[in-house]
mmCIF file of all heavy atoms in Angstrom:
data_model
loop_
_atom_site.group_PDB
_atom_site.id
_atom_site.type_symbol
_atom_site.label_atom_id
_atom_site.label_comp_id
_atom_site.label_asym_id
_atom_site.label_seq_id
_atom_site.Cartn_x
_atom_site.Cartn_y
_atom_site.Cartn_z
ATOM 1 N N PHE S 224 109.720 118.358 99.473
ATOM 2 C CA PHE S 224 110.648 119.180 98.702
ATOM 3 C C PHE S 224 109.865 120.075 97.741
ATOM 4 O O PHE S 224 108.787 119.719 97.266
ATOM 5 C CB PHE S 224 111.614 118.306 97.906
ATOM 6 C CG PHE S 224 112.734 117.722 98.736
ATOM 7 C CD1 PHE S 224 112.795 117.911 100.111
ATOM 8 C CD2 PHE S 224 113.730 116.970 98.127
ATOM 9 C CE1 PHE S 224 113.826 117.367 100.870
ATOM 10 C CE2 PHE S 224 114.775 116.429 98.872
ATOM 11 C CZ PHE S 224 114.822 116.626 100.233
ATOM 12 N N TYR S 228 113.327 124.866 98.297
ATOM 13 C CA TYR S 228 113.945 124.085 99.370
ATOM 14 C C TYR S 228 115.435 123.961 99.092
ATOM 15 O O TYR S 228 115.858 123.689 97.967
ATOM 16 C CB TYR S 228 113.303 122.696 99.389
ATOM 17 C CG TYR S 228 113.300 121.978 100.720
ATOM 18 C CD1 TYR S 228 112.232 122.117 101.601
ATOM 19 C CD2 TYR S 228 114.342 121.136 101.082
ATOM 20 C CE1 TYR S 228 112.208 121.430 102.816
ATOM 21 C CE2 TYR S 228 114.331 120.451 102.279
ATOM 22 C CZ TYR S 228 113.256 120.601 103.149
ATOM 23 O OH TYR S 228 113.257 119.928 104.337
ATOM 24 N N ASP S 229 116.279 124.147 100.122
ATOM 25 C CA ASP S 229 117.721 124.097 99.897
ATOM 26 C C ASP S 229 118.437 123.384 101.045
ATOM 27 O O ASP S 229 117.807 122.847 101.956
ATOM 28 C CB ASP S 229 118.283 125.511 99.684
ATOM 29 C CG ASP S 229 118.005 126.443 100.874
ATOM 30 O OD1 ASP S 229 117.615 125.941 101.954
ATOM 31 O OD2 ASP S 229 118.183 127.664 100.725
ATOM 32 N N TYR S 230 119.759 123.400 100.997
ATOM 33 C CA TYR S 230 120.596 122.703 101.980
ATOM 34 C C TYR S 230 120.300 123.183 103.400
ATOM 35 O O TYR S 230 120.179 122.381 104.321
ATOM 36 C CB TYR S 230 122.067 122.935 101.633
ATOM 37 C CG TYR S 230 123.055 122.233 102.536
ATOM 38 C CD1 TYR S 230 123.461 120.926 102.280
ATOM 39 C CD2 TYR S 230 123.621 122.886 103.632
ATOM 40 C CE1 TYR S 230 124.388 120.281 103.098
ATOM 41 C CE2 TYR S 230 124.543 122.251 104.456
ATOM 42 C CZ TYR S 230 124.918 120.952 104.184
ATOM 43 O OH TYR S 230 125.830 120.321 105.009
ATOM 44 N N SER S 231 120.197 124.486 103.578
ATOM 45 C CA SER S 231 119.958 125.026 104.918
ATOM 46 C C SER S 231 118.572 124.664 105.438
ATOM 47 O O SER S 231 118.355 124.616 106.652
ATOM 48 C CB SER S 231 120.136 126.550 104.924
ATOM 49 O OG SER S 231 119.192 127.178 104.074
ATOM 50 N N SER S 232 117.622 124.384 104.515
ATOM 51 C CA SER S 232 116.277 123.977 104.928
ATOM 52 C C SER S 232 116.243 122.524 105.354
ATOM 53 O O SER S 232 115.389 122.115 106.145
ATOM 54 C CB SER S 232 115.283 124.172 103.774
ATOM 55 O OG SER S 232 115.293 125.496 103.305
ATOM 56 N N PHE S 233 117.169 121.719 104.827
ATOM 57 C CA PHE S 233 117.183 120.282 105.070
ATOM 58 C C PHE S 233 118.215 119.882 106.128
ATOM 59 O O PHE S 233 117.939 119.079 107.012
ATOM 60 C CB PHE S 233 117.487 119.560 103.760
ATOM 61 C CG PHE S 233 117.383 118.064 103.811
ATOM 62 C CD1 PHE S 233 116.179 117.445 104.167
ATOM 63 C CD2 PHE S 233 118.467 117.260 103.483
ATOM 64 C CE1 PHE S 233 116.078 116.058 104.202
ATOM 65 C CE2 PHE S 233 118.366 115.873 103.511
ATOM 66 C CZ PHE S 233 117.169 115.275 103.882
ATOM 67 N N ILE S 234 119.395 120.456 106.047
ATOM 68 C CA ILE S 234 120.486 120.129 106.969
ATOM 69 C C ILE S 234 120.537 121.130 108.121
ATOM 70 O O ILE S 234 120.512 120.752 109.298
ATOM 71 C CB ILE S 234 121.849 120.116 106.238
ATOM 72 C CG1 ILE S 234 121.799 119.171 105.024
ATOM 73 C CG2 ILE S 234 122.954 119.726 107.207
ATOM 74 C CD1 ILE S 234 121.529 117.715 105.381
ATOM 75 N N GLY S 235 120.616 122.401 107.798
ATOM 76 C CA GLY S 235 120.685 123.453 108.803
ATOM 77 C C GLY S 235 121.733 124.476 108.424
ATOM 78 O O GLY S 235 122.444 124.344 107.424
ATOM 79 N N PHE S 261 116.820 116.871 108.732
ATOM 80 C CA PHE S 261 117.736 115.728 108.593
ATOM 81 C C PHE S 261 118.657 115.609 109.797
ATOM 82 O O PHE S 261 118.839 114.515 110.347
ATOM 83 C CB PHE S 261 118.559 115.824 107.314
ATOM 84 C CG PHE S 261 119.552 114.696 107.202
ATOM 85 C CD1 PHE S 261 119.144 113.446 106.754
ATOM 86 C CD2 PHE S 261 120.889 114.855 107.596
ATOM 87 C CE1 PHE S 261 120.041 112.375 106.691
ATOM 88 C CE2 PHE S 261 121.790 113.805 107.531
ATOM 89 C CZ PHE S 261 121.363 112.556 107.080
ATOM 90 N N ASN S 287 115.811 120.536 94.160
ATOM 91 C CA ASN S 287 117.118 120.272 93.573
ATOM 92 C C ASN S 287 117.908 119.390 94.541
ATOM 93 O O ASN S 287 118.572 119.880 95.459
ATOM 94 C CB ASN S 287 117.848 121.592 93.322
ATOM 95 C CG ASN S 287 119.150 121.406 92.573
ATOM 96 O OD1 ASN S 287 119.718 120.314 92.560
ATOM 97 N ND2 ASN S 287 119.629 122.458 91.942
ATOM 98 N N CYS S 288 117.816 118.073 94.344
ATOM 99 C CA CYS S 288 118.392 117.125 95.305
ATOM 100 C C CYS S 288 119.892 117.311 95.493
ATOM 101 O O CYS S 288 120.407 117.160 96.603
ATOM 102 C CB CYS S 288 118.086 115.692 94.873
ATOM 103 S SG CYS S 288 116.349 115.256 94.990
ATOM 104 N N ALA S 289 120.616 117.623 94.432
ATOM 105 C CA ALA S 289 122.063 117.810 94.540
ATOM 106 C C ALA S 289 122.389 118.944 95.500
ATOM 107 O O ALA S 289 123.325 118.860 96.303
ATOM 108 C CB ALA S 289 122.655 118.088 93.161
ATOM 109 N N GLU S 290 121.603 120.016 95.437
ATOM 110 C CA GLU S 290 121.823 121.157 96.331
ATOM 111 C C GLU S 290 121.327 120.851 97.740
ATOM 112 O O GLU S 290 121.973 121.194 98.730
ATOM 113 C CB GLU S 290 121.110 122.400 95.796
ATOM 114 C CG GLU S 290 121.238 123.607 96.721
ATOM 115 C CD GLU S 290 120.403 124.792 96.257
ATOM 116 O OE1 GLU S 290 119.893 124.749 95.128
ATOM 117 O OE2 GLU S 290 120.263 125.746 97.042
ATOM 118 N N ILE S 291 120.168 120.211 97.840
ATOM 119 C CA ILE S 291 119.547 119.971 99.141
ATOM 120 C C ILE S 291 120.385 119.023 99.995
ATOM 121 O O ILE S 291 120.622 119.267 101.180
ATOM 122 C CB ILE S 291 118.124 119.427 98.958
ATOM 123 C CG1 ILE S 291 117.226 120.507 98.328
ATOM 124 C CG2 ILE S 291 117.545 118.974 100.295
ATOM 125 C CD1 ILE S 291 115.871 119.997 97.878
ATOM 126 N N PHE S 292 120.843 117.911 99.411
ATOM 127 C CA PHE S 292 121.618 116.924 100.166
ATOM 128 C C PHE S 292 123.081 117.333 100.319
ATOM 129 O O PHE S 292 123.719 116.960 101.298
ATOM 130 C CB PHE S 292 121.532 115.554 99.492
ATOM 131 C CG PHE S 292 120.287 114.797 99.826
ATOM 132 C CD1 PHE S 292 119.115 114.997 99.110
ATOM 133 C CD2 PHE S 292 120.266 113.871 100.861
ATOM 134 C CE1 PHE S 292 117.960 114.296 99.408
ATOM 135 C CE2 PHE S 292 119.125 113.160 101.177
ATOM 136 C CZ PHE S 292 117.961 113.368 100.445
ATOM 137 N N GLY S 293 123.612 118.071 99.348
ATOM 138 C CA GLY S 293 125.011 118.432 99.431
ATOM 139 C C GLY S 293 125.891 117.194 99.554
ATOM 140 O O GLY S 293 125.652 116.169 98.899
ATOM 141 N N ASP S 294 126.900 117.243 100.437
ATOM 142 C CA ASP S 294 127.795 116.097 100.584
ATOM 143 C C ASP S 294 127.168 114.946 101.363
ATOM 144 O O ASP S 294 127.712 113.837 101.389
ATOM 145 C CB ASP S 294 129.114 116.514 101.241
ATOM 146 C CG ASP S 294 128.911 117.251 102.565
ATOM 147 O OD1 ASP S 294 127.743 117.469 102.943
ATOM 148 O OD2 ASP S 294 129.915 117.605 103.200
ATOM 149 N N ILE S 295 125.983 115.172 101.966
ATOM 150 C CA ILE S 295 125.293 114.100 102.687
ATOM 151 C C ILE S 295 124.946 112.945 101.745
ATOM 152 O O ILE S 295 124.865 111.787 102.150
ATOM 153 C CB ILE S 295 124.006 114.627 103.363
ATOM 154 C CG1 ILE S 295 124.360 115.656 104.440
ATOM 155 C CG2 ILE S 295 123.178 113.498 103.967
ATOM 156 C CD1 ILE S 295 125.134 115.096 105.615
ATOM 157 N N PHE S 296 124.771 113.256 100.446
ATOM 158 C CA PHE S 296 124.381 112.205 99.507
ATOM 159 C C PHE S 296 125.426 111.090 99.450
ATOM 160 O O PHE S 296 125.123 109.952 99.094
ATOM 161 C CB PHE S 296 124.106 112.797 98.119
ATOM 162 C CG PHE S 296 125.227 112.645 97.132
ATOM 163 C CD1 PHE S 296 125.200 111.628 96.196
ATOM 164 C CD2 PHE S 296 126.312 113.510 97.135
ATOM 165 C CE1 PHE S 296 126.216 111.480 95.277
ATOM 166 C CE2 PHE S 296 127.333 113.373 96.219
ATOM 167 C CZ PHE S 296 127.293 112.344 95.284
ATOM 168 N N GLN S 297 126.671 111.391 99.837
ATOM 169 C CA GLN S 297 127.719 110.367 99.844
ATOM 170 C C GLN S 297 127.419 109.262 100.856
ATOM 171 O O GLN S 297 127.931 108.137 100.727
ATOM 172 C CB GLN S 297 129.073 111.004 100.184
ATOM 173 C CG GLN S 297 129.587 112.003 99.158
ATOM 174 C CD GLN S 297 130.184 111.316 97.935
ATOM 175 O OE1 GLN S 297 130.195 110.103 97.836
ATOM 176 N NE2 GLN S 297 130.662 112.112 96.998
ATOM 177 N N LEU S 298 126.587 109.562 101.852
ATOM 178 C CA LEU S 298 126.276 108.581 102.894
ATOM 179 C C LEU S 298 125.069 107.716 102.555
ATOM 180 O O LEU S 298 124.770 106.760 103.276
ATOM 181 C CB LEU S 298 126.015 109.292 104.232
ATOM 182 C CG LEU S 298 127.134 110.185 104.767
ATOM 183 C CD1 LEU S 298 126.714 110.809 106.099
ATOM 184 C CD2 LEU S 298 128.433 109.403 104.922
ATOM 185 N N LEU S 299 124.371 108.038 101.480
ATOM 186 C CA LEU S 299 123.116 107.343 101.180
ATOM 187 C C LEU S 299 123.309 105.865 100.843
ATOM 188 O O LEU S 299 122.359 105.098 100.870
ATOM 189 C CB LEU S 299 122.385 108.046 100.026
ATOM 190 C CG LEU S 299 121.784 109.416 100.358
ATOM 191 C CD1 LEU S 299 121.245 110.079 99.103
ATOM 192 C CD2 LEU S 299 120.685 109.291 101.399
ATOM 193 N N ILE S 307 131.894 111.457 105.894
ATOM 194 C CA ILE S 307 132.142 112.792 105.361
ATOM 195 C C ILE S 307 132.582 113.702 106.496
ATOM 196 O O ILE S 307 132.294 113.433 107.667
ATOM 197 C CB ILE S 307 130.895 113.391 104.669
ATOM 198 C CG1 ILE S 307 129.752 113.552 105.682
ATOM 199 C CG2 ILE S 307 130.466 112.573 103.476
ATOM 200 C CD1 ILE S 307 128.580 114.358 105.141
ATOM 201 N N THR S 308 133.265 114.757 106.136
ATOM 202 C CA THR S 308 133.699 115.755 107.114
ATOM 203 C C THR S 308 132.712 116.914 107.084
ATOM 204 O O THR S 308 132.595 117.600 106.063
ATOM 205 C CB THR S 308 135.108 116.272 106.791
ATOM 206 O OG1 THR S 308 136.030 115.177 106.780
ATOM 207 C CG2 THR S 308 135.560 117.289 107.828
ATOM 208 N N PRO S 309 131.958 117.131 108.157
ATOM 209 C CA PRO S 309 130.973 118.215 108.169
ATOM 210 C C PRO S 309 131.641 119.577 108.313
ATOM 211 O O PRO S 309 132.837 119.676 108.627
ATOM 212 C CB PRO S 309 130.127 117.885 109.401
ATOM 213 C CG PRO S 309 131.076 117.182 110.327
ATOM 214 C CD PRO S 309 131.998 116.387 109.429
ATOM 215 N N THR S 310 130.871 120.605 108.105
ATOM 216 C CA THR S 310 131.380 121.955 108.332
ATOM 217 C C THR S 310 131.707 122.128 109.812
ATOM 218 O O THR S 310 131.235 121.360 110.668
ATOM 219 C CB THR S 310 130.326 123.002 107.928
ATOM 220 O OG1 THR S 310 129.127 122.785 108.701
ATOM 221 C CG2 THR S 310 129.984 122.894 106.447
ATOM 222 N N LEU S 313 128.622 122.549 112.034
ATOM 223 C CA LEU S 313 127.851 121.317 112.182
ATOM 224 C C LEU S 313 128.605 120.321 113.057
ATOM 225 O O LEU S 313 128.004 119.636 113.895
ATOM 226 C CB LEU S 313 127.561 120.708 110.805
ATOM 227 C CG LEU S 313 126.795 119.378 110.789
ATOM 228 C CD1 LEU S 313 125.503 119.472 111.598
ATOM 229 C CD2 LEU S 313 126.488 118.948 109.360
ATOM 230 N N MET S 335 131.119 112.165 109.939
ATOM 231 C CA MET S 335 129.731 111.723 109.984
ATOM 232 C C MET S 335 129.580 110.411 109.222
ATOM 233 O O MET S 335 130.144 110.261 108.136
ATOM 234 C CB MET S 335 128.798 112.765 109.350
ATOM 235 C CG MET S 335 128.667 114.064 110.126
ATOM 236 S SD MET S 335 127.614 115.276 109.262
ATOM 237 C CE MET S 335 126.007 114.440 109.299
ATOM 238 N N TRP S 337 126.440 107.161 108.389
ATOM 239 C CA TRP S 337 124.991 106.962 108.391
ATOM 240 C C TRP S 337 124.543 106.160 109.611
ATOM 241 O O TRP S 337 125.103 105.104 109.896
ATOM 242 C CB TRP S 337 124.559 106.231 107.121
ATOM 243 C CG TRP S 337 123.066 106.277 106.935
ATOM 244 C CD1 TRP S 337 122.144 105.375 107.365
ATOM 245 C CD2 TRP S 337 122.339 107.316 106.294
ATOM 246 N NE1 TRP S 337 120.879 105.775 107.041
ATOM 247 C CE2 TRP S 337 120.956 106.965 106.385
ATOM 248 C CE3 TRP S 337 122.699 108.501 105.654
ATOM 249 C CZ2 TRP S 337 119.953 107.775 105.845
ATOM 250 C CZ3 TRP S 337 121.694 109.295 105.124
ATOM 251 C CH2 TRP S 337 120.344 108.932 105.228
ATOM 252 N N ASP S 358 120.706 113.191 88.922
ATOM 253 C CA ASP S 358 121.831 112.603 88.203
ATOM 254 C C ASP S 358 121.993 111.143 88.606
ATOM 255 O O ASP S 358 121.460 110.681 89.615
ATOM 256 C CB ASP S 358 123.116 113.391 88.445
ATOM 257 C CG ASP S 358 123.524 113.445 89.907
ATOM 258 O OD1 ASP S 358 123.647 112.366 90.525
ATOM 259 O OD2 ASP S 358 123.722 114.557 90.433
ATOM 260 N N ALA S 360 124.484 109.452 89.768
ATOM 261 C CA ALA S 360 125.179 109.183 91.029
ATOM 262 C C ALA S 360 124.218 109.237 92.204
ATOM 263 O O ALA S 360 124.335 108.459 93.162
ATOM 264 C CB ALA S 360 126.315 110.193 91.223
ATOM 265 N N PHE S 361 123.254 110.151 92.129
ATOM 266 C CA PHE S 361 122.259 110.257 93.192
ATOM 267 C C PHE S 361 121.271 109.092 93.110
ATOM 268 O O PHE S 361 120.939 108.464 94.112
ATOM 269 C CB PHE S 361 121.523 111.590 93.078
ATOM 270 C CG PHE S 361 120.560 111.862 94.201
ATOM 271 C CD1 PHE S 361 121.002 112.353 95.416
ATOM 272 C CD2 PHE S 361 119.197 111.621 94.038
ATOM 273 C CE1 PHE S 361 120.117 112.602 96.448
ATOM 274 C CE2 PHE S 361 118.306 111.866 95.065
ATOM 275 C CZ PHE S 361 118.766 112.359 96.280
ATOM 276 N N ARG S 364 122.053 105.472 94.522
ATOM 277 C CA ARG S 364 122.166 105.306 95.968
ATOM 278 C C ARG S 364 120.825 104.991 96.619
ATOM 279 O O ARG S 364 120.733 104.918 97.841
ATOM 280 C CB ARG S 364 122.785 106.564 96.581
ATOM 281 C CG ARG S 364 124.278 106.657 96.328
ATOM 282 C CD ARG S 364 124.884 107.969 96.789
ATOM 283 N NE ARG S 364 126.333 107.859 96.894
ATOM 284 C CZ ARG S 364 127.187 107.967 95.888
ATOM 285 N NH1 ARG S 364 126.708 108.183 94.651
ATOM 286 N NH2 ARG S 364 128.475 107.850 96.078
#
Side-chain angles (χ1 to χ4, degrees):
F224 282 4
Y228 207 91
D229 58 14
Y230 182 87
S231 63
S232 304
F233 187 59
I234 306 298
F261 177 81
N287 186 339
C288 292
E290 177 186 349
I291 293 170
F292 278 85
D294 54 358
I295 296 295
F296 100 99
Q297 295 282 1
L298 303 180
L299 289 173
I307 62 170
T308 301
T310 59
L313 178 53
M335 292 177 65
W337 193 268
D358 60 54
F361 185 81
R364 285 173 163 82

